[in-house]
Amino acid sequence: MEYVSTELETREIPYKDFTAYDTQDIASRFNQVIEAEGPVVDDFLELKVLKSYSIFQRGSLIAPFLRSILISTEAVFTRQLDCDGQEHLVFWPERFRGLESDIESLKCEDYTDYRPSGQKELVPEGTFRAIGDFPQIEIFNAMKEVLSDGKAVKKEDLLTETNHALGFLVKGRQIRLTLELVLKAGISNGTFVHNRRGGTIRLR
């Protein structure tokens, strides 16, 4: 499944004036991106909306202001911990309301897609996502697809194939730790079976 970026109207707001700007317009842009691109991770979402105002960093002044508007939209969201233990919110289109616990446990049958990122210089503007910009359920879904033929796969091969499925060519520290985090969650929730003696993973 391809990641399709939403085009937001560009307006130039000086950084120092942004916290006095129309909060309804900002909230409207959040909702527009969430409905079209969700699931979308908080940092990616906030930076995309800011960029539409020709502002390219949040800073200590803008960050809490922006987050308060995002929360005020009352959009559907789930929580996930990244590989460094930092909590992020993942925002979902309205049709996923009520499925939050299934999504967080990586057992949501209503969302089985994943959207590769690709190399930054080769993908359309607004579609590149670093591994931290991925909702973990997408990584989980990619991992399931790698195992979909029912065969047991060596752990390292599974991580490599999932990495490639997500559009990455190399496995840096953050990618490796994130893939291992999602794999561990999939083993814990019973989706994956880990044969410790053989060092393999398969679908249950």
Side-chain angles (χ1 to χ4, degrees):
M1 183 179 180
E2 184 179 346
Y3 195 101
V4 179
S5 178
T6 305
E7 294 297 324
L8 297 175
E9 178 187 355
T10 301
R11 294 183 183 177
E12 192 163 338
I13 308 295
Y15 183 93
K16 63 183 178 60
D17 297 334
F18 186 72
T19 55
Y21 185 64
D22 181 2
T23 58
Q24 289 188 339
D25 183 62
I26 299 169
S28 174
R29 291 175 187 235
F30 275 135
N31 284 324
Q32 186 178 339
V33 176
I34 291 167
E35 285 302 313
E37 298 185 26
V40 56
V41 176
D42 50 12
D43 286 348
F44 186 87
L45 172 59
E46 290 178 1
L47 289 171
K48 177 169 186 138
V49 169
L50 264 188
K51 187 177 179 181
S52 73
Y53 295 107
S54 300
I55 298 174
F56 300 93
Q57 59 182 7
R58 285 168 290 189
S60 59
L61 180 66
I62 284 181
F65 172 73
L66 203 60
R67 180 55 59 99
S68 68
I69 296 173
L70 178 53
I71 295 301
S72 76
T73 66
E74 298 186 349
V76 181
F77 70 86
T78 55
R79 301 176 189 272
Q80 67 182 34
L81 292 179
D82 68 18
C83 63
D84 294 316
Q86 298 296 312
E87 182 179 84
H88 290 276
L89 305 182
V90 182
F91 289 85
W92 294 77
E94 183 62 29
R95 66 183 182 276
F96 291 96
R97 190 175 296 279
L99 299 174
E100 293 89 340
S101 61
D102 291 340
I103 292 167
E104 289 180 351
S105 65
L106 301 181
K107 285 196 168 186
C108 182
E109 295 180 0
D110 293 84
Y111 188 76
T112 58
D113 297 321
Y114 68 91
R115 299 164 293 177
S117 180
Q119 294 177 266
K120 190 172 186 177
E121 64 275 11
L122 299 179
V123 297
E125 178 72 22
T127 65
F128 173 77
R129 296 181 296 166
I131 193 67
D133 297 323
F134 273 80
Q136 288 175 7
I137 194 168
E138 289 195 38
I139 301 171
F140 177 71
N141 289 341
M143 204 168 279
K144 285 199 299 183
E145 182 169 289
V146 171
L147 296 170
S148 62
D149 63 2
K151 295 179 181 177
V153 176
K154 290 283 189 180
K155 175 185 172 182
E156 193 59 36
D157 292 340
L158 174 60
L159 297 183
T160 297
E161 290 185 46
T162 303
N163 185 53
H164 291 164
L166 295 173
F168 301 112
L169 298 180
V170 297
K171 262 199 319 284
R173 171 191 174 276
Q174 189 179 26
I175 290 178
R176 171 175 286 282
L177 292 178
T178 301
L179 292 175
E180 290 180 343
L181 181 69
V182 172
L183 175 58
K184 182 178 179 180
I187 293 170
S188 295
N189 74 14
T191 302
F192 305 137
V193 177
H194 183 197
N195 182 331
R196 295 183 182 277
R197 178 172 296 182
T200 59
I201 312 291
R202 63 173 175 81
L203 282 175
R204 185 173 294 280

